[in-house]
Amino acid sequence: LHVSAFDSRDLPLRLQSALDEREPNCVPERIVTVSGPTVELNSIVTDEICSVAYEAIRNAFTHSQASRIEVHLTYSDDFTLIVRDNGRGMDSTTASRGRTNHFGLQSMRDRATRIRGQFQLITAPNLGTTIELKIPGKAAFRRDTNMWSRALAWMKGCDA
């Protein structure tokens, strides 16, 4: 059995930490947002989401020359991760094949496939880059988590 090293409900904090670990002046704006009630994810899926997010964040810091990096997590019927920067973007050849002897983009695509997710890269020169990973709820969320338990979690959050 594979057990994740952390509770998947800590995912927003982990991704904020990944943004905060870099030099503060490198990218002045770094934002993590969450939509929907945070739901426990399958541990294998959590690890793959983290790997995709970390690679996308690292690429944004290393290559984009961005002034803003945003990470959005959406919990609904499906799970969606979006990592977006306002940097220099990529040409279509780099976006489809990656850079020579660099395997980050292909690795993200492979990880998405492994967890039955859809990977999308939206970029153009001087228009920034958006990485989107969408995973069907049946694959993303723990089996004992269903729409009713997510609704109850949301209602509990409203009472606080």
Side-chain angles (χ1 to χ4, degrees), residues 27-66:
V27 176
E29 285 188 75
R30 308 161 190 209
I31 299 165
V32 174
T33 58
V34 178
S35 298
T38 304
V39 179
E40 191 166 358
L41 297 163
N42 172 305
S43 60
I44 293 170
V45 170
T46 300
D47 290 344
E48 298 294 7
I49 291 167
C50 282
S51 294
V52 168
Y54 290 166
E55 181 68 25
I57 290 167
R58 188 188 70 74
N59 285 348
F61 276 107
T62 304
H63 304 295
S64 76
Q65 299 175 348

Side-chain angles (χ1 to χ4, degrees), residues 27 56 59-61 63-70 83-90 122-123 127-131:
V27 176
N59 285 348
F61 276 107
H63 304 295
S64 76
Q65 299 175 348
S67 63
R68 179 183 178 96
I69 300 174
E70 304 171 23
V83 179
R84 177 180 299 129
D85 69 63
N86 67 348
R88 63 185 187 153
M90 292 178 244
I122 303 163
T123 187
L127 295 178
T129 300
T130 299
I131 300 284

Side-chain angles (χ1 to χ4, degrees), residues 85-97:
D85 69 63
N86 67 348
R88 63 185 187 153
M90 292 178 244
D91 60 64
S92 60
T93 302
T94 302
S96 64
R97 296 185 197 159

Side-chain angles (χ1 to χ4, degrees), residues 91-146:
D91 60 64
S92 60
T93 302
T94 302
S96 64
R97 296 185 197 159
R99 300 173 98 179
T100 304
N101 296 323
H102 291 252
F103 304 100
L105 289 175
Q106 187 57 48
S107 174
M108 288 189 275
R109 289 181 176 104
D110 292 345
R111 289 177 186 284
T113 299
R114 262 197 302 271
I115 56 175
R116 296 188 284 159
Q118 296 174 326
F119 178 86
Q120 185 174 19
L121 170 65
I122 303 163
T123 187
N126 301 314
L127 295 178
T129 300
T130 299
I131 300 284
E132 179 177 293
L133 173 62
K134 186 172 186 173
I135 307 162
K138 289 181 180 181
F141 303 121
R142 284 184 40 120
R143 290 201 172 121
D144 60 343
T145 305
N146 60 36

